[in-house]
Amino acid sequence: MQQVGIGFLGAGIVGSALLKRLLEEAEAISAKTGLDLTVRRVAVRSLDKSRDVAIPDTIITDEPMAVVNDPDVQIVVEVMGGLEPAGDLVLSALRAGKAVITANKELMAARGRELIGAAEESGVSLLFEAAVGGGIPIIRPLSESLAGERITSIMGIVNGTTNFILTKMVEDGADFSEALAEAQGLGYAEADPAADVGGGDAAAKAAILASLAFGVWVAGDRVYREGIEALDVRDIGFAADLGYVPKLLAIAEDSEEGVAVRVHPALVPSDHPLAAVRGATNAIFIEGPAIGQLLFTGPGAGGAPTATAVLGDVINAARELAAGTQVTPRIRFNPGRIREFGDVSTKWYLRLEVADQPGVLAAIASTFGAFGVSIKSVWQEGRGDAATLLLITHEACERDLATAADAIRVLEDVKEIGAVLRVQSDEP
Ligand code: HSE
């Protein structure tokens, strides 16, 4: 039986869940894989913190370089999160000839190209299945099974916390902060949940998916992002009446004009498959001319499912070590153009608070028309001084919609534009 030493950088929610598996299910894992995966060292931030798993005194340390430098550690599992010190520790481990498994989307989105280069130079594996989609196998299918497909678009729900919050708000009328607290309690949220709620976590994942799918390096900070903080419960109600559900979508497209990657809330028709994705579940559509459409769905957050993804990578790296062929990653990044966000087109939902006077709708429609934005449908709620207009437009690019909205905002009888939301629908 091949013995492989594993070192941990971090033992938080995912790390503890994986340690538990490796320490408590060692026999079952060996029986299935023919590998003896032995945890040699675990670096934690605080030695005194109570955890779900008992880490033996002989292997716990608060000195992360002790893991990287341990000659008995062949695979380093980085589950500490954040850019630093995780980035430099991963780089040191790769340079020291260790295979690295990381669940760190923030790090891979920021420094993935450099780290993949370092892994290739050292001839070791750098695997990161758990960085996107929690327990859903998506990195390996994208970079291996679909390596020959010319992928044109990816669209999905890649943040479990926000999907959990939105589900609670839509289905139970829950308050935003209560739903967030519940998601934190269930171990879905990031250490700083602003990364979930503000779209940063989903943007990092979208950058990783786009880079792998299109073979063009898209750094996380090139991804346009908007979070769900500004979503008004009134619009959730109006959207439901119009047959839509709000979702935080990650969208990556590759076209003649270049690659466009973005994360923002969007209304999806209630009969769209993504509308049925509830709670912390993630779902990722991939499209290509030969493959058509693929849908990957499953638990997108939480310790146990994410630990399964990390464990799969550990087993894969251990098998490669046993075979003496560390061949991953197999990714080449080519030059490519990132599209200006202003050029990207979508349909739009707008809520306008207006005075109910003759000519108001005509002024709004002609202002939209002047900027090339065509209105598809209009509804009115209320009468008199305080009418609410709901509009759905045909496709219009970000720049045109923003300019039209600025012009409408200053019309005399428009009190405010209460909401502007993108609509992701195939309807004409
Ligand atoms: N905070 C993340 C989420 C965890 O809610 O999806 C998985 O990356």
Side-chain angles (χ1 to χ4, degrees):
M1 179 147 333
Q2 178 80 20
Q3 260 217 350
V4 180
I6 319 289
F8 274 66
L9 297 171
I13 288 171
V14 175
S16 297
L18 179 59
L19 270 168
K20 215 168 153 56
R21 299 269 283 278
L22 285 170
L23 295 173
E24 293 173 8
E25 297 174 24
E27 266 182 42
I29 294 170
S30 302
K32 196 167 172 194
T33 62
L35 297 162
D36 174 1
L37 304 175
T38 308
V39 182
R40 301 276 189 206
R41 214 167 270 267
V42 180
V44 295
R45 208 161 288 156
S46 159
L47 293 170
D48 307 324
K49 192 179 151 190
S50 77
R51 296 182 174 78
D52 285 350
V53 58
I55 306 171
D57 287 346
T58 46
I59 61 171
I60 197 164
T61 172
D62 56 4
E63 178 41 67
M65 278 310 283
V67 173
V68 172
N69 290 331
D70 188 328
D72 292 330
V73 167
Q74 285 95 45
I75 298 178
V76 172
V77 175
E78 186 275 302
V79 278
M80 63 200 302
L83 288 178
E84 288 306 332
D88 285 345
L89 290 166
V90 166
L91 197 57
S92 305
L94 294 170
R95 287 186 176 147
K98 320 247 165 179
V100 173
I101 315 302
T102 176
N104 191 332
K105 56 253 153 174
E106 193 187 357
L107 176 62
M108 288 308 293
R111 294 178 65 184
R113 182 161 55 174
E114 172 199 354
L115 296 175
I116 287 168
E120 280 179 343
E121 252 174 51
S122 299
V124 295
S125 293
L126 170 63
L127 303 177
F128 46 96
E129 184 59 69
V132 182
I136 306 171
I138 184 70
I139 299 295
R140 191 175 299 277
L142 252 190
S143 46
E144 296 186 17
S145 320
L146 297 170
E149 177 73 22
R150 194 169 56 76
I151 295 169
T152 49
S153 86
I154 298 180
M155 179 171 77
I157 294 167
V158 293
N159 182 266
T161 302
T162 44
N163 204 52
F164 181 88
I165 294 172
L166 290 174
T167 307
K168 287 271 168 194
M169 289 173 84
V170 169
E171 294 182 7
D172 307 341
D175 168 79
F176 179 92
S177 345
E178 276 172 25
L180 171 59
E182 202 180 330
Q184 286 175 291
L186 290 165
Y188 300 152
E190 295 303 298
D192 175 5
D196 296 298
V197 170
D201 174 81
K205 293 168 179 168
I208 295 169
L209 292 177
S211 299
L212 297 180
F214 307 142
V216 171
W217 173 247
V218 181
D221 59 8
R222 300 295 305 271
V223 178
Y224 175 83
R225 75 197 62 177
E226 256 176 52
I228 62 166
E229 311 96 319
L231 205 59
D232 192 316
V233 282
R234 289 182 68 199
D235 295 299
I236 295 181
F238 287 137
D241 293 344
L242 302 179
Y244 295 101
V245 182
K247 292 288 177 192
L248 183 72
L249 295 187
I251 303 173
E253 292 159 331
D254 190 14
S255 65
E256 300 267 297
E257 294 86 40
V259 167
V261 192
R262 57 197 188 271
V263 167
H264 51 64
L267 299 181
V268 299
S270 34
D271 57 358
H272 189 283
L274 288 181
V277 177
R278 301 172 62 248
T281 304
N282 283 191
I284 302 159
F285 275 107
I286 296 182
E287 260 180 352
I291 199 73
Q293 202 173 50
L294 292 172
L295 175 62
F296 296 79
T297 187
T306 310
T308 291
V310 182
L311 182 53
D313 278 351
V314 169
I315 291 167
N316 197 57
R319 282 180 176 147
E320 288 183 350
L321 278 168
T325 57
Q326 293 201 72
V327 285
T328 41
R330 308 173 171 94
I331 306 152
R332 294 282 169 278
F333 297 116
N334 300 297
R337 198 155 73 82
I338 312 281
R339 277 180 87 186
E340 285 289 322
F341 184 61
D343 294 336
V344 173
S345 283
T346 186
K347 299 172 185 111
W348 298 88
Y349 158 101
L350 293 102
R351 172 167 56 82
L352 274 57
E353 304 301 337
V354 300
D356 188 18
Q357 303 289 343
V360 173
L361 190 53
I364 291 168
S366 78
T367 311
F368 271 125
F371 294 98
V373 181
S374 165
I375 295 169
K376 180 176 178 256
S377 322
V378 182
W379 297 264
Q380 177 171 335
E381 300 265 326
R383 285 221 55 185
D385 280 349
T388 297
L389 283 182
L390 306 176
L391 293 96
I392 303 273
T393 75
H394 290 292
E395 282 217 349
C397 75
E398 297 277 341
R399 186 178 301 105
D400 289 349
L401 193 283
T403 324
D406 285 345
I408 284 165
R409 209 168 270 122
V410 296
L411 291 177
E412 199 184 329
D413 290 316
V414 173
K415 294 180 185 151
E416 70 162 331
I417 299 185
V420 179
L421 289 165
R422 297 162 185 89
V423 176
Q424 193 67 35
S425 133
D426 296 332
E427 291 157 8

